[in-house]
């Protein structure tokens, strides 16, 4: 989804017209902090009614007056009630993190989407989901699909303790995250999982930090995993803002 930043400028007429044309105006129904930096957010909008949604697809939330946005992954979409929910991780400094931390029920925002990103609706097991804190929402959506029992996850995270609290809140406590190390040596542990999964014809869904995802993709290439069994989407990249 797309979120816009809090610069003091007011929207021009063109911006307002474009927003009305392409965005769905939504109200924040609730914001529930579930662990430090993790927020379970519910948005409602008449414009969400009757909208088709596929697990893995994205929404972009406009953060204010301009076309700056941040992207999130709906965990559920109630097309009858006009309601969607997503899990947002406020990693640190950035307009998206600020927006998430200060959001409260009754606030309004403009949403672009849902739009295509990954389509995880029709996978069959085994499946490995690789990612980080930004992938917990996708993991939760996958845990509600028919192939959930065949999903394994490999999460690299900043704080294992906080992430475990968030995962426990989501009933995903069985999925244990690994601490991200500065030298990326934790990735060797994750790579040890890959040969067995590659032999068992697993599908690999790679999300999260761009550089980690590239490394796992290279390892899978070395194991001759065909492109048809690989789905990749970088959710953020070091030094770059607002990937979509
Ligand atoms: C398709 C898609 C789906 C996504 N789904 C979700 C979701 O469901 N939940 C969720 O929380 N996020 C999700 N993200 C990630 C989220 O959009 C980014 O983390 C976003 O950049 C955060 O915005 P920001 O304004 O806080 O930081 P930015 O201004 O975008 O970035 C500022 C700096 O922080 C770094 N940074 C960005 N994100 C992280 C991070 N997670 N950890 C550490 N450093 C970071 C950047 O590299 C940059 O250097 C998704 C992204 C994409 C592309």
């Amino acid at each position: 989804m797309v979120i816009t930043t809090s610069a003091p400028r007011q929207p021009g007429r063109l911006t307002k017209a474009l927003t009305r044309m392409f965005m769905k105006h939504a109200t924040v129904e609730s914001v529930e902090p579930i662990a430090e930096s993790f927020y379970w957010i519910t948005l409602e909008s008449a414009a969400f009614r009757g909208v088709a949604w596929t697990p893995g697809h994205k929404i972009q939330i406009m953060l204010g007056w301009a076309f700056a946005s941040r992207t999130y992954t709906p965990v559920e979409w109630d097309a009858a009630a006009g309601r969607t929910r997503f899990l947002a991780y406020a990693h640190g400094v950035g307009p998206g993190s600020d927006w998430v931390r200060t959001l409260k029920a009754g606030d309004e925002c403009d949403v672009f989407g849902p739009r295509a990103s990954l389509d995880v609706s029709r996978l069959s097991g085994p499946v490995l989901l690789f990612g980080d804190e930004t992938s917990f929402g996708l993991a939760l959506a996958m845990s509600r699909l028919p192939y959930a029992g065949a999903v394994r996850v490999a999460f690299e995270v900043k704080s294992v303790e906080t992430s475990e609290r968030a995962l426990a809140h989501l009933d995903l406590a069985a999925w244990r995250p690994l601490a991200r190390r500065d030298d990326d040596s934790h990735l060797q542990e994750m790579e040890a999982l890959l040969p067995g999964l590659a032999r068992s014809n697993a599908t690999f869904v790679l999300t999260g930090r761009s550089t980690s995802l590239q490394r796992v993709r290279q390892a899978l290439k070395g194991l001759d995993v065909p492109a048809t069994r690989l789905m990749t989407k970088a959710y953020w990249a070091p030094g770059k803002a607002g990937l979509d």
Side-chain angles (χ1 to χ4, degrees), residues 133-145:
E133 297 93 339
T134 61
S135 319
F136 288 5
L138 177 65
L140 183 56
M142 290 170 75
S143 77
R144 296 173 177 182
L145 290 168

Side-chain angles (χ1 to χ4, degrees), residues 1 5 37-38 56-59 63 69-75 86-98 100-101 116-118 132-138 158 180 209 233-244:
M1 65 193 180
T5 58
S37 309
F38 287 94
H57 282 189
K58 65 186 177 186
I59 51 173
L63 295 174
S69 67
R70 292 295 180 266
T71 308
Y72 295 91
T73 307
V75 173
F86 61 95
L87 185 74
Y89 172 63
H91 64 88
V93 179
S97 295
D98 292 346
V100 163
R101 271 191 223 100
S117 181
L118 298 170
D132 60 18
E133 297 93 339
T134 61
S135 319
F136 288 5
L138 177 65
K158 183 174 170 187
R180 180 186 286 129
R209 184 173 66 151
K233 179 71 193 164
Y235 280 2
W236 65 279
K240 289 192 183 157
L243 295 192
D244 77 357

Side-chain angles (χ1 to χ4, degrees), residues 45-158:
S45 169
F48 291 168
R49 291 192 195 129
V51 167
W53 163 73
T54 301
H57 282 189
K58 65 186 177 186
I59 51 173
Q60 290 161 275
I61 301 181
M62 306 303 296
L63 295 174
W65 58 270
F67 280 95
S69 67
R70 292 295 180 266
T71 308
Y72 295 91
T73 307
V75 173
E76 53 195 49
W77 194 284
D78 184 336
R83 184 179 297 119
T84 186
R85 305 183 87 188
F86 61 95
L87 185 74
Y89 172 63
H91 64 88
V93 179
S97 295
D98 292 346
W99 180 80
V100 163
R101 271 191 223 100
T102 55
L103 199 65
K104 55 188 187 319
D107 285 353
E108 295 180 15
C109 61
D110 291 299
V111 176
F112 188 43
R115 289 201 302 139
S117 181
L118 298 170
D119 179 354
V120 297
S121 62
R122 284 189 296 271
L123 303 180
S124 54
V127 176
L128 177 75
L129 170 63
F130 174 85
D132 60 18
E133 297 93 339
T134 61
S135 319
F136 288 5
L138 177 65
L140 183 56
M142 290 170 75
S143 77
R144 296 173 177 182
L145 290 168
Y147 61 79
V151 177
R152 291 189 68 171
V153 303
F155 292 135
E156 53 165 6
V157 299
K158 183 174 170 187

Side-chain angles (χ1 to χ4, degrees), residues 220-242:
L220 291 171
K221 251 179 136 179
L223 294 166
D224 293 327
V225 172
T228 48
R229 284 178 24 221
L230 259 182
M231 300 172 79
T232 62
K233 179 71 193 164
Y235 280 2
W236 65 279
K240 289 192 183 157

Side-chain angles (χ1 to χ4, degrees), residues 156-183:
E156 53 165 6
V157 299
K158 183 174 170 187
S159 163
V160 169
E161 199 192 334
T162 307
S163 292
E164 282 185 342
R165 264 206 304 282
L167 290 167
H169 189 94
L170 303 172
D171 283 333
L172 300 178
W175 289 351
R176 312 299 296 274
L178 262 185
R180 180 186 286 129
R181 295 193 205 112
D182 287 345
D183 63 359

